[in-house]
Amino acid sequence: MAKNPLLHRLTAVTAIMVVAGAALAGCSSSGGNTSSSGGSSDSIVLGSPGVPPVISGLLPYIADKQGFYKKYGVNVTIKSFDTGTDATRAAATGQIDAAIMPPAQLITLASQGTQVVGIQGQEFSDWVVDSTDPSVNSCSALKGQTIGVDAIGGIRYIALSQMLKTCGLSINDVHPIPFPGNAAPQALINGQLKTSVLHLNEVYEVTGQGKSLTTAITMSTAVPNTMYEMYGTTKTDLANKHEAFVKFVAAQIATIQWMNDPANADAVAQYATVTGDAKASMLKAMAQYQKINFWSADSASMPETNVDNMIKGQVAAGNITAATAPKYSNIVDPSIFNAAQALVKQIGSA
């Protein structure tokens, strides 16, 4: 039987991720107690998507390596998962304290009775659907295409579903195929995949390797006023570790302020190579991320309108019912961010 080159590539990528995961799973900001949910009250175990981490995991990675978690007195262990879906499930079941969660999954869990809550978010999405095939140049041209996503039901899969609806297509009109972490950009570079849902930094990495990309659709224009991701935890963990979560978010606010300082641009780009992208690509990407306020130090970035749009979208997709749909006030706690901002004013980001 002839080998399937796509499956062969996926097997190789999986092997690489296992090795990388062993190294990244132990990433910790200090030598204190770093137990999982139920551990010491000053420790937090955070689930981060991607092995190596995708752009979503960059903020906590820098907060750890630059010493901000330690500065704010919270012990944070970053535990890497193949996808945000896996990290979210681990947080919801109490295996870890918190996770960088796709909002749609947080909403679905809440509708099922799981007591989850967002404490910090990222409003602006950078998703694009790009192709090495120049004829795939519109949303309608995606019909029948094989498209790389993170996982079936994952955040890229959900974003793709939302974008397709804007031109009358559904997820059943395309062929989504899972490429966890940064496997999709590598598959595009190697010619094993033509079309994928990509982060902005991944676009720069692919084009930096000499591949031309054509954009079929972007999330920001096709589905505005939505939510990208949320740092979520269970209400029980939040109550038990309230002070630690305030310190955690304060450290991340201070990290964003440090990242936004032009004097640190080179250092930020170097840190960002943890995603697997070249420093030159990340210098370009990080400048664009700052322009779109991808990470906000000024607000919790969980606007009620945007979260409500996500809730309505989940109802429209049939993933939850209107009767079980959670309210904004049930799944968002802005008080943690407000307390964290006050703490940053006391301690600073230098």
Side-chain angles (χ1 to χ4, degrees), residues 6 10 54 83 127-132 136 142 144-161 163-164 171 174-188 192-199 202 213 216-217:
L6 201 54
L10 284 172
V54 294
T83 68
W127 297 124
V128 298
V129 181
D130 274 12
S131 180
T132 57
V136 184
L142 294 172
Q145 297 292 326
T146 296
I147 303 175
V149 296
D150 53 335
I152 303 302
I155 189 169
R156 298 189 198 218
Y157 179 95
I158 293 169
L160 176 62
S161 299
M163 287 185 276
L164 289 171
I171 201 69
V174 299
H175 306 291
I177 182 168
F179 281 85
N182 70 343
Q186 294 305 312
L188 289 169
Q192 293 161 322
L193 181 67
K194 290 184 178 180
T195 307
S196 184
V197 182
L198 297 175
H199 282 295
E202 294 170 341
L213 290 174
I217 190 169

Side-chain angles (χ1 to χ4, degrees), residues 220-244:
S220 60
T221 55
V223 192
N225 300 319
T226 186
M227 279 293 301
Y228 170 51
E229 284 192 319
M230 298 165 78
Y231 286 81
T233 183
T234 63
K235 292 182 179 180
T236 299
D237 262 345
L238 184 58
N240 290 339
K241 300 188 175 186
H242 186 274
E243 184 178 355

Side-chain angles (χ1 to χ4, degrees), residues 274-346:
V274 71
T275 62
D277 295 346
K279 183 177 178 180
S281 298
M282 293 311 302
L283 275 169
K284 297 176 183 178
M286 294 308 293
Q288 292 301 312
Y289 279 126
Q290 287 186 5
K291 286 182 179 179
I292 66 172
N293 202 28
F294 192 65
W295 294 283
S296 174
D298 301 320
S299 73
S301 292
M302 298 181 289
E304 186 168 356
T305 297
N306 297 50
V307 175
D308 282 345
N309 285 341
M310 290 295 298
I311 295 170
K312 292 174 184 176
Q314 287 300 95
V315 172
N319 296 328
I320 63 175
T321 66
T324 61
K327 294 182 179 179
Y328 176 85
S329 58
N330 291 335
I331 59 173
V332 171
D333 186 349
S335 69
I336 302 299
F337 190 90
N338 295 338
Q341 274 191 317
L343 186 57
V344 172
K345 289 180 180 179
Q346 294 177 22

Side-chain angles (χ1 to χ4, degrees), residues 33-332:
N33 187 338
T34 55
S35 62
S36 61
S37 183
S40 113
S41 61
D42 65 352
S43 69
I44 290 175
V45 179
L46 173 71
S48 177
V51 183
V54 294
I55 196 68
S56 308
L58 184 57
L59 173 58
Y61 179 84
I62 295 178
D64 174 35
K65 295 301 182 183
Q66 192 61 23
F68 282 105
Y69 289 140
K70 184 176 181 179
K71 178 177 180 177
Y72 278 82
V74 58
N75 299 322
V76 177
T77 297
I78 302 171
K79 186 172 182 179
S80 298
F81 290 81
D82 283 348
T83 68
T85 301
D86 298 328
T88 299
R89 288 170 180 161
T93 55
Q95 299 173 53
I96 58 177
D97 297 300
I100 305 174
M101 298 182 177
Q105 291 172 349
L106 184 151
I107 290 164
T108 298
L109 286 168
S111 75
Q112 296 168 348
T114 304
Q115 297 295 302
V116 286
V117 61
I119 58 173
Q120 185 179 10
Q122 290 178 252
E123 172 186 354
F124 299 106
S125 172
D126 68 332
W127 297 124
V128 298
V129 181
D130 274 12
S131 180
T132 57
D133 181 350
S135 69
V136 184
N137 57 8
S138 67
C139 179
S140 59
L142 294 172
K143 186 173 183 178
Q145 297 292 326
T146 296
I147 303 175
V149 296
D150 53 335
I152 303 302
I155 189 169
R156 298 189 198 218
Y157 179 95
I158 293 169
L160 176 62
S161 299
Q162 293 174 314
M163 287 185 276
L164 289 171
K165 286 181 182 178
T166 65
C167 64
L169 298 179
S170 76
I171 201 69
N172 295 322
D173 292 313
V174 299
H175 306 291
I177 182 168
F179 281 85
N182 70 343
Q186 294 305 312
L188 289 169
I189 291 169
N190 295 328
Q192 293 161 322
L193 181 67
K194 290 184 178 180
T195 307
S196 184
V197 182
L198 297 175
H199 282 295
L200 176 62
N201 64 295
E202 294 170 341
V203 172
Y204 282 110
E205 181 64 13
V206 174
T207 56
Q209 295 295 317
K211 286 284 185 178
S212 296
L213 290 174
T214 298
T215 299
I217 190 169
T218 65
M219 187 76 167
S220 60
T221 55
V223 192
N225 300 319
T226 186
M227 279 293 301
Y228 170 51
E229 284 192 319
M230 298 165 78
Y231 286 81
T233 183
T234 63
K235 292 182 179 180
T236 299
D237 262 345
L238 184 58
N240 290 339
K241 300 188 175 186
H242 186 274
E243 184 178 355
F245 275 111
V246 170
K247 293 176 179 178
F248 167 76
V249 174
Q252 299 204 148
I253 294 171
T255 303
I256 296 168
Q257 292 175 346
W258 181 86
M259 291 167 64
N260 288 342
D261 185 340
N264 299 324
D266 190 77
V268 170
Q270 183 59 54
Y271 277 133
T273 60
V274 71
T275 62
D277 295 346
K279 183 177 178 180
S281 298
M282 293 311 302
L283 275 169
K284 297 176 183 178
M286 294 308 293
Q288 292 301 312
Y289 279 126
Q290 287 186 5
K291 286 182 179 179
I292 66 172
N293 202 28
F294 192 65
W295 294 283
S296 174
D298 301 320
S299 73
S301 292
M302 298 181 289
E304 186 168 356
T305 297
N306 297 50
V307 175
D308 282 345
N309 285 341
M310 290 295 298
I311 295 170
K312 292 174 184 176
Q314 287 300 95
V315 172
N319 296 328
I320 63 175
T321 66
T324 61
K327 294 182 179 179
Y328 176 85
S329 58
N330 291 335
I331 59 173
V332 171

